[in-house]
Amino acid sequence: MTKTTACALAALATLAPMVALAPSAAADDTSGRHKAITLHATLNPFKVNKVTGSGTAMVHLEGNTAHVTVKHSGLLAGAPHAQHFHIGAKGVCPPESVAKERNGKVFLNTTDGAPFYGGIGTSLTTTGDTSPSSGLAVDRFPVGDKVHYERTITLSDEAAKSLREGTGVVVVHGIDFNGNGTYDNNLGPSDLDPKLPSEATNPALCGPLKMAAKGAVHGGQGGTQTPVNTAAAAAGATLLAGAGAVYGLRRRSARQS
């Protein structure tokens, strides 16, 4: 064997393991996108928005199929509360220091928080479409001051990827800044649609979705599904309409929160 041939064989021996591993690495990447994971979030109130409620969320994600549980209480009774997975940004809730003064009052609106939690990736509606186009479908969001939402839905590739990468955030909207029991115009028009009052769309609760620790599941997630109260939903829609608003936004996440 010549010296040149020996060197060539040594080089091939070095490359062979790398070539053999390449298909396996690609396969692992694919399987990673389908691996079942469980994510949790603690939903904290935006005190600058005069919110005192709280909540939790849990997502069991397998492929693009997500079983979602959201519980919250202490928000405006008798009113619809839009809720979403926000994606594609820092994966955190905004600090209250980003709130701005408008109309003589300091509060946080939806777009103030967008650089932190991103745009809508999934609308957590009770029935039907869950895309960003249903971001404010008032007749298909939970209503009231005590909510137990549970639904299995299919996420877009973008939303599933964001949740797996740790940049998914649960945001629940709808505040009662002046405490008068209804969404009104005391903060001016919504930053999402000037036909809506700002109170109806401002963020109330927020929590980043993080990988659940191994072992027992804590935080009271799961349980039985609570049926949607259609009468309450109808009353909530009437309430919002009375405030001069029709939650009819059908837009992409660029115009959503």
Side-chain angles (χ1 to χ4, degrees):
M1 180 184 297
T2 67
K3 183 177 180 180
T4 301
T5 302
C7 290
L9 289 174
L12 285 173
T14 302
L15 289 172
M18 297 174 63
V19 174
L21 286 173
S24 176
D28 288 345
D29 181 65
T30 301
S31 65
R33 294 197 297 269
H34 296 278
K35 181 180 178 181
I37 61 172
T38 301
L39 304 167
H40 286 253
T42 298
L43 307 181
N44 293 311
F46 286 108
K47 295 180 180 179
V48 71
N49 282 351
K50 312 297 184 185
V51 178
T52 58
S54 62
T56 56
M58 182 177 74
V59 181
H60 182 76
L61 180 63
E62 187 166 0
N64 284 32
T65 301
H67 184 77
V68 184
T69 303
V70 179
K71 297 179 182 180
H72 59 78
S73 61
L75 300 186
L76 181 60
H81 294 280
Q83 53 184 20
H84 316 102
F85 291 153
H86 286 248
I87 64 170
K90 298 178 181 179
V92 299
C93 298
E96 300 204 347
S97 59
V98 303
K100 297 179 176 63
E101 181 175 345
R102 306 171 182 89
N103 302 317
K105 301 179 179 70
V106 177
F107 60 92
L108 184 82
N109 68 19
T110 302
T111 52
D112 290 335
F116 299 88
Y117 48 56
I120 293 176
T122 306
S123 300
L124 301 178
T125 54
T126 55
T127 60
D129 176 58
T130 60
S131 75
S133 296
S134 291
L136 291 174
V138 65
D139 57 331
R140 294 187 290 112
F141 278 117
V143 173
D145 59 345
K146 190 172 183 180
V147 165
H148 181 163
Y149 169 90
E150 190 167 357
R151 188 180 179 192
T152 298
I153 59 179
T154 300
L155 306 186
S156 66
D157 289 343
E158 182 184 14
K161 182 174 183 288
S162 180
L163 265 61
R164 290 184 182 279
E165 292 179 344
T167 57
V169 181
V170 177
V171 182
V172 180
H173 301 258
I175 69 172
D176 184 15
F177 192 85
N178 57 353
N180 69 344
T182 188
Y183 293 148
D184 64 21
N185 288 306
N186 77 96
L187 300 180
S190 167
D191 54 317
L192 303 182
D193 187 334
K195 292 180 293 186
L196 307 180
S198 185
E199 283 191 331
T201 62
N202 285 353
L205 304 174
C206 180
L209 283 164
K210 300 301 179 184
M211 191 80 72
K214 292 182 179 179
V217 174
H218 300 286
Q221 318 283 352
T224 58
Q225 180 173 353
T226 301
V228 177
N229 187 329
T230 54
T238 301
L239 171 66
L240 196 54
V246 177
Y247 268 92
L249 288 184
R250 294 293 184 272
R251 60 184 69 183
R252 296 300 298 168
S253 61
R255 296 192 60 194
Q256 308 264 358
S257 55

